[in-house]
Amino acid sequence: MAEIPQSRAPNPKSDTPVPVWRLLPRQHLALALGLVAAVVISRFSGSIDAYLVDVAIGIGINVILAVSLNLVNGHTGQFSLGHAGFMSVGAYLAAACTVFAGPRLLGAAPGPLAHNLLFFGALLIGGLGAAFAGLLVGIPSLRLKGDYLALVTLGFGEIIRVIFQNVEVLGGALGFNGVPAYTDFAWAYGWGVLTIFTVSCLVNSTYGRGFIATHDNEIAAQSIGLDTTRYKTVAFAVGAFFAGVAGGLFAHLKLSIDPRGFDFTRSIEIVVMVILGGMGNTLGVILAAVLLTILPEILRPVAEYRMVLYSLLLIILMITRPQGLLNFRFGKTRL
Amino acid sequence: MTEFLQQLINGLSLGAIYALLALGYTMVYGVLRFINFAHADVFMVGSFAGYYLGRLVPGGTLWGGLAVLAAAMIACALLGVLIERLAYRPLRGGPTLNVLITAIGVSLLLQYSGQIIFGATPRTFPQLFPVAQFHLGRVGISSNQIVVIVVAPLLIAGLQLVVFKTRMGMAMRAVSLNLKAAQLVGVNINTVISFTFALGSALAAAGGILYSMNYPSIDPLMGVMPGLKAFTAAILGGIGSLPGAALGGLILGGAETFVGGSQFSTYKDAIAFGILIVILLLRPAGLLGRWTAEKI
Amino acid sequence: MPPLLQLHQATIRFGGLTAVNTVDFAIAEGSLCGLIGPNGAGKTTVFNLITGVYAPTHGRITFAGHDLAGKKVHEVAALGIGRTFQNIRLFDRLSVFDNVRVACNRHRATGPLQTLVRLRAFRDDEAAVSRRAEELLEMFNLLRFRDTPATCLPYGEQRRLEIVRALATRPRLLLLDEPAAGMNPSEKADLVRLIRHIHREFGLTILLVEHSMRVVMGVCQTIAVLDHGMKIAEGTPAEIRQNRKVIDAYLGEEHAPLKAE
Ligand SMILES: Nc1ncnc2c1ncn2[C@@H]1O[C@H](COP(=O)(O)OP(=O)(O)OP(=O)(O)O)[C@@H](O)[C@H]1O
Ligand SMILES: [Mg+2]
């Protein structure tokens, strides 16, 4: 067809279809930088107040949870209330790896490298186990919509919890203790960076726009040839994978896990981060995860009223800023 | 056999309570299409209302019990209307997710204000109605269970009368069929919705008191599990369907009692969710519900 | 040559209502056909049957030698059927540009893994997709809205964007559901030109549902008429205009020879 130079003039970048910085795998550069930064900062964490480091690691874990759930809830529009359930699968699997298989694999005098490798392997297994659970839940239930999907995922999360309460080797209802303290700043933020990298690479591509298309209009997405079930399943599995990893990190941070720590209020906390950040807006979701991890710490002095304030805030936010507190992409005009 | 009959009676009285609670979920879903998570906490408030009001009347009398029941129902009806007015109305027509989260927020608010007002430690629910234990052969039935088995069906029948024999009931049915159309033909939907919340919350209060009579340890988080189960019952019966909610409640109460009495008792709480998942996957419209396809 | 699309006795019931009733209908490759009928006649339902949104209660639909029975919507699309919707269905979270780019997925082999690895080939492929999307937007005069959110477009442009999006999947058969709805006469004239243009340029087969007689009579080579789910007539525009049944059921007396707007 005819090339009309003038019409391109207002848009000089249009020869290169996406901005240049996206054409170079800048994502990989950012990923490498992020990983290095996580390790370097971690070196200095010894000189920082232990409480602050703890909070910071908690933030890292919540960022992983929120960003991964954002792929499912925010981008793909699948309302999952089971993220804590997937987290618990990862937590228990990873902890079981380091507690039961660890001593046998490590031998008598393990070096730091051996420990790190073991932990990495354990997290990977935790993540894959959670992803598998995600597929198990997702494949039958993803044809349900909205509230109903939320309920099925909630139900699965609760069933997973009841099962863990009944597995005696894993501590049953009393909780699983004696998990080694592997999680440090570098691990939490390394995985945090990897989660952000994965989700943004997935979504910012011709393939990945299918997630958003699935969310916006499923029938239209199918009519242009997108297998929306496939998209939802991928989102679910990837989301569950990172939830599992976050669970593994959590277990090796708290050193003892309890099925009740992964009930549906935990899932809701993560959902709230996603909504607050503005569904599908990665930066907003990260900020929301940070904010909502710090908030309870700040409210610690008024511990009794903490949850009351939290719930009031939730209601007021939903009413006054339904598009998310931190979502400025589309102003008020769009609502 | 006696074992079976005993479980049946226990299951029936638990099921009747789930049914009362399920009706509230189903009614609200019918008119507004959302899951009112806070309903379970209205149930809790109803129970505490019974606890405090129970001090004002002589315990163990029939009229005293009924008076407390009625007063708690009225109090919770007002609470329900208030919740709808303040939290849900501003979001009406908003995205499902936001409405659902708001409902969860209200639920958390009630639970944690409850912990501050009533204290987090469990309390013992007083004896409101006369106490007695009857025996039919080796099967035991308490007067409290009898109260449940009598009061719950009466309330459900009363609800049916309201919904099918009054103008307001007709308006409710119209709104649940098509909110916009009902509005166009002059139904005041705000009134209808407030009324729906009042009815549902009153039933929840009754459920709370009846539940606490049989499981007399009450605390601000007591609504969570019965709430989830009653909701499952509503889905099982077909959300939006009143007889469905009643049927679902009975099935769920029965199933739970029987599993609780078996060797799998530790999985009791998983039963409701198992049923929920199976029903949603196999027959999302529920047993008595109708499934409407989206028009393209 | 066998027809590109063929409906044999296609029937669908919704409860007691037979929305499409034993319809036989064939479209030859390269033709431009119209499907008309009063409101509720079942035109959109025919589209939904063809595209696999609904499964027929009875009857069979074949496309390019494939039996469409049991095929999912995206599988039908992958065989080469593109469509637009009567009630516009754009992706509102995506820009105009991305609405078109996402539709280019059908001919790509990239999956989730490639988006993470981002090899040279992947990036070239992404660039090619973007180029193609821009070419299409330019051809339909939508390039100036490139980065606007799709739902912020004027109504007529939204309808055109839906056509562009369908074309981006490179269909062999394009189904247009009331593309002229809500357009003024000059926009309709543009639309007629546009439909003729894409029919020629892309070598497409087009099936058009439309209430505007000016558009239908202006572009279609053959027209089928539905009423109460039944096909009551089929023929050239001139024949349809004269057809007694069509005049009674749909066109009305005063429009009989020449339906004005
Ligand atoms: N999913 C459905 N469930 C029940 N009835 C349906 C469904 N889809 C369509 N119908 C009914 O089928 C009939 C045909 O509808 P259809 O939308 O195909 O008409 P149409 O010819 O496209 O009309 P219009 O010109 O108004 O677009 C209508 O009576 C409609 O109500
Ligand atoms: Mg139509």
Side-chain angles (χ1 to χ4, degrees), chain A:
Chain A
M1 62 208 67
E3 297 271 314
I4 308 166
Q6 297 97 303
S7 73
R8 301 215 156 182
N11 208 334
K13 274 187 285 183
S14 59
D15 271 349
T16 50
V18 265
V20 179
W21 57 268
R22 258 197 219 161
L23 259 188
L24 307 166
R26 265 295 261 292
Q27 293 93 337
H28 291 186
L29 210 67
L31 173 67
L33 276 178
L35 291 176
V36 169
V39 172
V40 169
I41 295 173
S42 190
R43 287 264 169 261
F44 297 103
S45 63
S47 54
I48 306 171
D49 182 39
Y51 167 72
L52 288 182
V53 175
D54 233 44
V55 173
I57 294 176
I59 291 176
I61 292 176
N62 277 343
V63 165
I64 300 175
L65 288 167
V67 170
S68 59
L69 185 65
N70 189 33
L71 176 65
V72 183
N73 277 17
H75 292 299
T76 323
Q78 299 306 298
F79 188 6
S80 163
L81 273 181
H83 224 48
F86 300 131
M87 188 185 171
S88 72
V89 172
Y92 272 93
L93 264 182
C97 283
T98 53
V99 170
F100 298 129
R104 231 173 290 164
L105 289 175
L106 289 177
L113 181 67
H115 278 296
N116 282 337
L117 277 179
L118 171 70
F119 188 38
F120 186 74
L123 288 179
L124 220 52
I125 290 175
L128 290 174
F132 180 71
L135 289 178
L136 223 59
V137 177
I139 289 172
S141 48
L142 284 173
R143 59 200 173 83
L144 297 171
K145 290 196 171 55
D147 292 357
Y148 278 24
L149 178 65
L151 284 169
V152 170
T153 50
L154 186 159
F156 269 111
E158 291 291 295
I159 286 179
I160 291 174
R161 182 174 62 78
V162 174
I163 290 175
F164 280 128
Q165 273 177 358
N166 283 287
V167 179
E168 291 305 324
V169 234
L170 296 177
L174 297 175
F176 188 24
N177 301 315
V179 185
Y182 281 144
T183 303
D184 63 5
F185 190 89
W187 279 110
Y189 281 81
W191 277 103
V193 170
L194 196 64
T195 312
I196 298 169
F197 165 82
T198 307
V199 172
S200 31
C201 275
L202 266 180
V203 173
N204 288 311
S205 64
T206 304
Y207 167 81
R209 281 176 205 105
F211 290 111
I212 301 163
T214 300
H215 182 179
D216 277 348
N217 205 313
E218 195 167 346
I219 286 286
Q222 291 169 346
S223 83
I224 56 168
L226 304 179
D227 184 348
T228 52
T229 314
R230 183 68 166 271
Y231 272 103
K232 292 183 203 169
T233 315
V234 169
F236 226 67
V238 173
F241 173 83
F242 285 107
V245 170
L249 290 166
F250 180 80
H252 293 81
L253 175 70
K254 298 292 175 197
L255 313 188
S256 124
I257 44 178
D258 175 339
R260 269 160 305 187
F262 305 101
D263 64 359
F264 90 103
T265 17
R266 186 84 178 91
S267 294
I268 287 166
E269 260 174 53
I270 311 167
V271 172
V272 169
M273 291 173 192
V274 173
I275 298 186
L276 198 64
M279 307 274 286
N281 170 10
T282 307
L283 192 64
V285 168
I286 295 171
L287 287 176
V290 175
L291 204 71
L292 284 180
T293 323
I294 296 178
L295 190 68
E297 299 299 327
I298 297 174
L299 292 179
R300 218 171 254 285
V302 287
E304 268 182 75
Y305 295 92
R306 203 172 85 178
M307 286 309 291
V308 175
L309 287 175
Y310 177 80
S311 45
L312 266 179
L313 211 68
L314 202 61
I315 299 168
I316 293 170
L317 268 172
M318 286 302 129
I319 294 174
T320 54
R321 275 193 78 81
Q323 79 277 34
L325 183 64
L326 305 166
N327 191 356
F328 303 104
R329 251 189 328 182
F330 308 112
K332 284 211 178 81
T333 47
R334 292 225 46 217
L335 288 170

Side-chain angles (χ1 to χ4, degrees), chain B residues 296, chain C residues 39-40 42-45 86 177-178 209 211:
Chain B
I296 310 294
Chain C
N39 289 113
K43 306 178 294 291
T44 302
T45 308
Q86 182 172 358
D177 201 345
E178 304 201 15
V209 162
H211 282 294

Side-chain angles (χ1 to χ4, degrees), chain B residues 164-187:
Chain B
F164 288 98
K165 295 280 185 268
T166 64
R167 277 183 77 88
M168 190 52 102
M170 186 168 11
M172 275 171 73
R173 282 179 291 142
V175 170
S176 80
L177 279 176
N178 189 334
L179 190 135
K180 285 253 164 59
Q183 200 168 14
L184 285 176
V185 297
V187 174

Side-chain angles (χ1 to χ4, degrees), chain C residues 39-59:
Chain C
N39 289 113
K43 306 178 294 291
T44 302
T45 308
V46 166
F47 274 19
N48 286 334
L49 286 173
I50 297 173
T51 52
V53 175
Y54 302 139
T57 322
H58 289 299

Side-chain angles (χ1 to χ4, degrees), chain B residues 77 80-81 84-85 89 189-199:
Chain B
V81 172
E84 191 277 325
R85 182 70 196 82
R89 192 172 298 179
I189 55 165
N190 282 337
T191 317
V192 171
I193 289 169
S194 292
F195 185 73
T196 307
F197 270 85
L199 270 186

